[in-house]
């Protein structure tokens, strides 16, 4: 039996943790909302994030980080990007006291504004500066709502260490979620992060009433932007973006009503403000943060990211959606 601490008990954290418990592992959630922790412990439900759904009854939850990660073999981060560095510092303090060296697995999909760091980079800096091979990222076309219903799902687990990627593959996989290993940690993370920005754009187009042709064009050119930034700045492998964490995640996030980023974009396309959308979404919209980091990178490194820039202009510079669409469609002709 593998002992796993799941840091974050939102929808995706709850579903992953329950799945891991279903696989026969000992799972403890860490979260900072006492009411959610109490509900998990007393009723094995998490109605704030996952209505009408039951967690594995062997799971438990705590607001004490040291208690959650005590003797853990794997520490799974399922937190908003904005919380990763703060919690990583706290994890480091606990591990320094216990001298434990668990695997760190991240299911968070984002890029930190300001530093422009991937989640694995933050974990390297704050927790394992000399043990980066103990960091694994999981990413792929998956929504908590679908995995909770045991829909057939395929996910990538990436690490500098093939051995550690295989360990995660073995612990996480079951008869409805299949895991593939990958050595391109940066590429897997870039695909998972930036597809959220493209999903906001897809939602905006849907909110404006555009159809399948527009969606297909956006996703195809969006994948080109993801690959461009991944290869040119992060040193990723281009073939990674034709896999699960690239085109796979892009497809599901741009086409599903379960995507918070798509839903946020749709409301913006219908005329609502970003502040209104974020206030009423109830959960984090990672693309709204990631777009800032990508905007900074695109400007700094002179990387062509027109879709990202259009989304940034709409979200943070009050640009008119129709004018941004016209500007993109009217750009100088170029080869594909």
């Amino acid at each position: 039996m593998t002992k796993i601490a799941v840091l974050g008990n939102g929808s995706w954290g709850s579903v992953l943790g329950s799945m891991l418990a279903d696989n026969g592992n000992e799972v403890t959630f860490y979260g900072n909302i006492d009411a959610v922790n109490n509900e998990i412990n007393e009723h094995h439900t998490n109605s704030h994030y996952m209505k009408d759904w039951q967690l594995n009854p062997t799971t438990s939850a705590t607001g004490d980080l040291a208690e959650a990660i005590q003797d853990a073999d794997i520490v799974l981060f399922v937190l908003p990007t904005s919380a990763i560095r703060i919690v990583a510092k706290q994890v480091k303090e606990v591990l320094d006291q216990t001298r434990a060296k668990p695997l760190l697995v991240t299911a968070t999909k984002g890029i930190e504004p300001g530093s422009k760091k991937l989640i694995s980079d933050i974990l390297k800096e704050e927790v394992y500066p000399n043990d980066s091979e103990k960091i694994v990222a999981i990413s792929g076309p998956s929504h908590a709502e679908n995995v909770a219903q045991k829909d057939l799902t395929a996910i990538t687990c990436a690490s500098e260490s093939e051995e550690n990627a295989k360990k995660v593959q073995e612990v996480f996989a079951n008869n409805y979620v299949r895991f593939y290993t990958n050595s391109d940690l940066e590429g897997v993370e870039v695909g998972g992060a930036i597809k959220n920005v493209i999903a906001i754009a897809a939602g905006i187009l849907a909110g404006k009433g555009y159809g399948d042709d527009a969606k297909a064009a956006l996703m195809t050119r969006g994948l080109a932007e993801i690959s461009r930034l991944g290869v040119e700045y992060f040193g990723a492998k281009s073939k990674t973006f034709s896999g699960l964490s690239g085109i796979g995640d892009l497809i599901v996030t741009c086409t599903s009503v379960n995507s918070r980023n798509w839903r946020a974009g749709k409301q913006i396309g219908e005329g609502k403000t970003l502040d209104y959308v974020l206030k009423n979404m109830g959960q984090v919209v990672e693309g709204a943060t990631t777009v800032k980091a990508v905007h900074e990178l695109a400007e700094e490194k002179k990387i062509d990211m027109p879709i990202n820039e259009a989304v940034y202009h709409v979200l943070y510079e009050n640009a008119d959606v129709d004018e941004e669409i016209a500007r993109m469609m009217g750009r100088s002709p170029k080869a594909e």
Side-chain angles (χ1 to χ4, degrees), residues 35-72:
V36 174
N37 293 334
N38 293 336
E39 183 182 349
I40 291 173
N41 290 328
E42 295 172 12
H43 304 289
H44 310 300
T45 57
N46 189 349
S47 57
H48 182 75
Y49 293 105
M50 294 289 294
K51 297 185 185 301
D52 304 319
W53 179 72
Q54 200 87 12
L55 285 89
N56 184 295
T58 67
T59 60
S60 62
T62 179
D64 186 327
L65 180 63
E67 178 186 346
I69 67 178
Q70 183 178 3
D71 300 323

Short mmCIF file of all heavy atoms in Angstrom, two decimals, residues 35-72:
data_model
loop_
_atom_site.label_atom_id
_atom_site.label_comp_id
_atom_site.label_asym_id
_atom_site.label_seq_id
_atom_site.Cartn_x
_atom_site.Cartn_y
_atom_site.Cartn_z
N ALA A 35 -14.84 23.29 6.81
CA ALA A 35 -16.14 22.69 6.51
C ALA A 35 -16.00 21.56 5.48
O ALA A 35 -16.68 20.53 5.59
CB ALA A 35 -17.10 23.75 5.99
N VAL A 36 -15.12 21.76 4.49
CA VAL A 36 -14.90 20.72 3.48
C VAL A 36 -14.21 19.52 4.11
O VAL A 36 -14.59 18.36 3.88
CB VAL A 36 -14.07 21.27 2.30
CG1 VAL A 36 -13.70 20.14 1.33
CG2 VAL A 36 -14.84 22.35 1.57
N ASN A 37 -13.19 19.77 4.93
CA ASN A 37 -12.50 18.66 5.61
C ASN A 37 -13.46 17.87 6.48
O ASN A 37 -13.44 16.63 6.47
CB ASN A 37 -11.36 19.21 6.47
CG ASN A 37 -10.23 19.81 5.66
OD1 ASN A 37 -10.03 19.45 4.51
ND2 ASN A 37 -9.50 20.74 6.25
N ASN A 38 -14.29 18.57 7.23
CA ASN A 38 -15.24 17.89 8.11
C ASN A 38 -16.24 17.06 7.33
O ASN A 38 -16.60 15.93 7.73
CB ASN A 38 -15.98 18.91 8.98
CG ASN A 38 -15.06 19.59 9.99
OD1 ASN A 38 -14.02 19.04 10.35
ND2 ASN A 38 -15.44 20.78 10.44
N GLU A 39 -16.70 17.59 6.20
CA GLU A 39 -17.68 16.85 5.39
C GLU A 39 -17.05 15.58 4.82
O GLU A 39 -17.69 14.51 4.79
CB GLU A 39 -18.20 17.73 4.26
CG GLU A 39 -19.27 17.05 3.42
CD GLU A 39 -19.77 17.90 2.26
OE1 GLU A 39 -19.43 19.10 2.21
OE2 GLU A 39 -20.47 17.35 1.40
N ILE A 40 -15.81 15.68 4.37
CA ILE A 40 -15.12 14.50 3.85
C ILE A 40 -14.98 13.44 4.95
O ILE A 40 -15.25 12.25 4.73
CB ILE A 40 -13.73 14.88 3.29
CG1 ILE A 40 -13.89 15.70 2.01
CG2 ILE A 40 -12.89 13.62 3.01
CD1 ILE A 40 -12.59 16.26 1.47
N ASN A 41 -14.60 13.87 6.14
CA ASN A 41 -14.38 12.92 7.23
C ASN A 41 -15.68 12.31 7.75
O ASN A 41 -15.73 11.13 8.09
CB ASN A 41 -13.65 13.62 8.39
CG ASN A 41 -12.21 13.93 8.06
OD1 ASN A 41 -11.56 13.21 7.30
ND2 ASN A 41 -11.68 15.01 8.63
N GLU A 42 -16.72 13.12 7.81
CA GLU A 42 -17.96 12.65 8.43
C GLU A 42 -18.92 11.98 7.45
O GLU A 42 -19.63 11.03 7.81
CB GLU A 42 -18.67 13.83 9.10
CG GLU A 42 -17.88 14.41 10.28
CD GLU A 42 -18.49 15.70 10.82
OE1 GLU A 42 -19.64 16.03 10.43
OE2 GLU A 42 -17.81 16.38 11.62
N HIS A 43 -18.95 12.49 6.21
CA HIS A 43 -19.94 11.98 5.25
C HIS A 43 -19.33 11.39 3.98
O HIS A 43 -20.05 10.83 3.15
CB HIS A 43 -20.91 13.10 4.87
CG HIS A 43 -21.59 13.75 6.04
ND1 HIS A 43 -22.56 13.11 6.79
CD2 HIS A 43 -21.43 14.98 6.61
CE1 HIS A 43 -22.97 13.91 7.75
NE2 HIS A 43 -22.30 15.05 7.68
N HIS A 44 -18.02 11.56 3.80
CA HIS A 44 -17.33 11.10 2.59
C HIS A 44 -17.93 11.71 1.34
O HIS A 44 -18.06 11.05 0.29
CB HIS A 44 -17.35 9.56 2.52
CG HIS A 44 -16.90 8.90 3.79
ND1 HIS A 44 -15.65 9.10 4.32
CD2 HIS A 44 -17.56 8.09 4.67
CE1 HIS A 44 -15.54 8.43 5.45
NE2 HIS A 44 -16.68 7.81 5.68
N THR A 45 -18.31 12.98 1.46
CA THR A 45 -18.80 13.75 0.32
C THR A 45 -18.06 15.08 0.30
O THR A 45 -17.41 15.47 1.27
CB THR A 45 -20.32 14.02 0.41
OG1 THR A 45 -20.61 14.70 1.63
CG2 THR A 45 -21.10 12.71 0.35
N ASN A 46 -18.18 15.80 -0.81
CA ASN A 46 -17.57 17.13 -0.95
C ASN A 46 -18.53 17.96 -1.81
O ASN A 46 -18.24 18.29 -2.96
CB ASN A 46 -16.19 17.02 -1.60
CG ASN A 46 -15.43 18.33 -1.58
OD1 ASN A 46 -15.98 19.38 -1.26
ND2 ASN A 46 -14.15 18.29 -1.93
N SER A 47 -19.67 18.30 -1.22
CA SER A 47 -20.76 18.91 -1.98
C SER A 47 -20.42 20.30 -2.49
O SER A 47 -21.03 20.78 -3.44
CB SER A 47 -22.03 18.96 -1.13
OG SER A 47 -21.79 19.67 0.08
N HIS A 48 -19.45 20.96 -1.87
CA HIS A 48 -19.06 22.30 -2.33
C HIS A 48 -18.48 22.24 -3.74
O HIS A 48 -18.67 23.16 -4.54
CB HIS A 48 -18.03 22.91 -1.37
CG HIS A 48 -17.61 24.30 -1.74
ND1 HIS A 48 -18.42 25.39 -1.54
CD2 HIS A 48 -16.47 24.76 -2.32
CE1 HIS A 48 -17.79 26.48 -1.97
NE2 HIS A 48 -16.61 26.13 -2.44
N TYR A 49 -17.77 21.15 -4.05
CA TYR A 49 -17.11 21.03 -5.34
C TYR A 49 -17.71 19.93 -6.23
O TYR A 49 -17.68 20.05 -7.45
CB TYR A 49 -15.62 20.72 -5.14
CG TYR A 49 -14.84 21.84 -4.49
CD1 TYR A 49 -14.44 21.77 -3.17
CD2 TYR A 49 -14.52 22.98 -5.21
CE1 TYR A 49 -13.73 22.80 -2.57
CE2 TYR A 49 -13.81 24.02 -4.63
CZ TYR A 49 -13.41 23.93 -3.30
OH TYR A 49 -12.71 24.95 -2.72
N MET A 50 -18.20 18.85 -5.63
CA MET A 50 -18.71 17.71 -6.40
C MET A 50 -20.06 17.28 -5.83
O MET A 50 -20.12 16.48 -4.87
CB MET A 50 -17.71 16.54 -6.35
CG MET A 50 -16.40 16.80 -7.04
SD MET A 50 -16.53 16.86 -8.85
CE MET A 50 -16.97 15.17 -9.22
N LYS A 51 -21.13 17.79 -6.39
CA LYS A 51 -22.46 17.47 -5.88
C LYS A 51 -22.86 16.04 -6.26
O LYS A 51 -22.49 15.54 -7.32
CB LYS A 51 -23.49 18.46 -6.43
CG LYS A 51 -23.25 19.90 -5.98
CD LYS A 51 -24.36 20.82 -6.45
CE LYS A 51 -24.06 22.27 -6.11
NZ LYS A 51 -23.87 22.48 -4.67
N ASP A 52 -23.60 15.41 -5.36
CA ASP A 52 -24.17 14.08 -5.63
C ASP A 52 -23.10 13.06 -5.99
O ASP A 52 -23.26 12.26 -6.92
CB ASP A 52 -25.23 14.14 -6.74
CG ASP A 52 -26.33 15.14 -6.43
OD1 ASP A 52 -26.77 15.18 -5.28
OD2 ASP A 52 -26.74 15.87 -7.35
N TRP A 53 -22.02 13.09 -5.26
CA TRP A 53 -20.92 12.15 -5.52
C TRP A 53 -20.29 11.73 -4.21
O TRP A 53 -20.14 12.54 -3.29
CB TRP A 53 -19.88 12.81 -6.43
CG TRP A 53 -18.70 11.93 -6.75
CD1 TRP A 53 -18.69 10.84 -7.56
CD2 TRP A 53 -17.37 12.07 -6.23
NE1 TRP A 53 -17.43 10.29 -7.59
CE2 TRP A 53 -16.61 11.03 -6.79
CE3 TRP A 53 -16.76 12.97 -5.36
CZ2 TRP A 53 -15.24 10.87 -6.51
CZ3 TRP A 53 -15.41 12.82 -5.08
CH2 TRP A 53 -14.68 11.77 -5.64
N GLN A 54 -19.92 10.46 -4.11
CA GLN A 54 -19.37 9.89 -2.88
C GLN A 54 -17.89 9.58 -3.05
O GLN A 54 -17.49 8.95 -4.02
CB GLN A 54 -20.12 8.59 -2.54
CG GLN A 54 -19.99 8.16 -1.10
CD GLN A 54 -21.02 8.78 -0.19
OE1 GLN A 54 -21.99 9.36 -0.65
NE2 GLN A 54 -20.81 8.67 1.12
N LEU A 55 -17.07 10.04 -2.09
CA LEU A 55 -15.66 9.67 -2.09
C LEU A 55 -15.48 8.27 -1.52
O LEU A 55 -16.34 7.76 -0.79
CB LEU A 55 -14.84 10.64 -1.24
CG LEU A 55 -14.55 12.04 -1.78
CD1 LEU A 55 -15.66 13.00 -1.40
CD2 LEU A 55 -13.21 12.54 -1.26
N ASN A 56 -14.34 7.68 -1.83
CA ASN A 56 -13.99 6.42 -1.19
C ASN A 56 -14.00 6.63 0.32
O ASN A 56 -13.36 7.55 0.83
CB ASN A 56 -12.61 5.97 -1.66
CG ASN A 56 -12.21 4.62 -1.11
OD1 ASN A 56 -12.05 4.47 0.09
ND2 ASN A 56 -12.03 3.66 -1.99
N PRO A 57 -14.71 5.77 1.08
CA PRO A 57 -14.86 6.00 2.53
C PRO A 57 -13.59 5.83 3.34
O PRO A 57 -13.56 6.19 4.52
CB PRO A 57 -15.91 4.95 2.93
CG PRO A 57 -15.83 3.90 1.88
CD PRO A 57 -15.49 4.62 0.62
N THR A 58 -12.53 5.31 2.73
CA THR A 58 -11.27 5.16 3.48
C THR A 58 -10.45 6.44 3.49
O THR A 58 -9.45 6.53 4.21
CB THR A 58 -10.40 4.02 2.89
OG1 THR A 58 -9.96 4.39 1.58
CG2 THR A 58 -11.18 2.71 2.83
N THR A 59 -10.83 7.44 2.69
CA THR A 59 -10.07 8.69 2.64
C THR A 59 -10.37 9.52 3.89
O THR A 59 -11.41 9.39 4.52
CB THR A 59 -10.42 9.51 1.39
OG1 THR A 59 -11.83 9.82 1.41
CG2 THR A 59 -10.07 8.76 0.12
N SER A 60 -9.42 10.39 4.23
CA SER A 60 -9.60 11.32 5.35
C SER A 60 -9.06 12.69 4.94
O SER A 60 -8.33 12.80 3.95
CB SER A 60 -8.89 10.81 6.60
OG SER A 60 -7.49 10.72 6.37
N ALA A 61 -9.40 13.71 5.71
CA ALA A 61 -8.96 15.07 5.39
C ALA A 61 -8.51 15.78 6.66
O ALA A 61 -9.02 15.53 7.75
CB ALA A 61 -10.10 15.85 4.72
N THR A 62 -7.56 16.70 6.48
CA THR A 62 -7.04 17.46 7.62
C THR A 62 -6.61 18.85 7.16
O THR A 62 -6.27 19.05 5.99
CB THR A 62 -5.83 16.73 8.27
OG1 THR A 62 -5.34 17.51 9.35
CG2 THR A 62 -4.70 16.52 7.26
N GLY A 63 -6.61 19.79 8.10
CA GLY A 63 -6.09 21.12 7.84
C GLY A 63 -4.67 21.27 8.32
O GLY A 63 -4.10 22.37 8.25
N ASP A 64 -4.08 20.18 8.79
CA ASP A 64 -2.71 20.17 9.30
C ASP A 64 -1.79 19.56 8.24
O ASP A 64 -1.83 18.36 7.99
CB ASP A 64 -2.65 19.34 10.59
CG ASP A 64 -1.30 19.38 11.28
OD1 ASP A 64 -0.27 19.47 10.57
OD2 ASP A 64 -1.26 19.31 12.52
N LEU A 65 -0.95 20.39 7.62
CA LEU A 65 -0.10 19.92 6.53
C LEU A 65 0.87 18.84 7.00
O LEU A 65 1.07 17.84 6.31
CB LEU A 65 0.67 21.09 5.93
CG LEU A 65 1.61 20.76 4.77
CD1 LEU A 65 0.83 20.22 3.58
CD2 LEU A 65 2.41 22.00 4.36
N ALA A 66 1.48 19.03 8.16
CA ALA A 66 2.45 18.05 8.67
C ALA A 66 1.78 16.70 8.87
O ALA A 66 2.36 15.64 8.57
CB ALA A 66 3.07 18.54 9.97
N GLU A 67 0.56 16.71 9.38
CA GLU A 67 -0.19 15.46 9.57
C GLU A 67 -0.47 14.79 8.23
O GLU A 67 -0.36 13.57 8.09
CB GLU A 67 -1.50 15.74 10.29
CG GLU A 67 -2.39 14.52 10.50
CD GLU A 67 -3.74 14.87 11.10
OE1 GLU A 67 -3.89 16.01 11.60
OE2 GLU A 67 -4.65 14.03 11.04
N ALA A 68 -0.82 15.59 7.23
CA ALA A 68 -1.18 15.03 5.92
C ALA A 68 0.00 14.33 5.26
O ALA A 68 -0.16 13.26 4.67
CB ALA A 68 -1.72 16.13 5.02
N ILE A 69 1.19 14.94 5.35
CA ILE A 69 2.33 14.39 4.60
C ILE A 69 3.23 13.49 5.45
O ILE A 69 4.23 12.98 4.94
CB ILE A 69 3.16 15.50 3.94
CG1 ILE A 69 3.86 16.38 4.98
CG2 ILE A 69 2.31 16.33 3.01
CD1 ILE A 69 4.73 17.45 4.35
N GLN A 70 2.87 13.27 6.70
CA GLN A 70 3.67 12.39 7.55
C GLN A 70 3.73 10.98 6.95
O GLN A 70 2.71 10.36 6.68
CB GLN A 70 3.10 12.33 8.96
CG GLN A 70 3.93 11.48 9.92
CD GLN A 70 3.36 11.49 11.33
OE1 GLN A 70 2.31 12.09 11.58
NE2 GLN A 70 4.03 10.83 12.24
N ASP A 71 4.92 10.49 6.74
CA ASP A 71 5.17 9.13 6.20
C ASP A 71 4.63 8.93 4.78
O ASP A 71 4.53 7.79 4.32
CB ASP A 71 4.58 8.06 7.13
CG ASP A 71 5.17 8.10 8.52
OD1 ASP A 71 6.38 8.38 8.64
OD2 ASP A 71 4.41 7.87 9.49
N ALA A 72 4.29 10.01 4.09
CA ALA A 72 3.76 9.87 2.74
C ALA A 72 4.84 9.42 1.76
O ALA A 72 5.98 9.89 1.81
CB ALA A 72 3.14 11.18 2.26
#
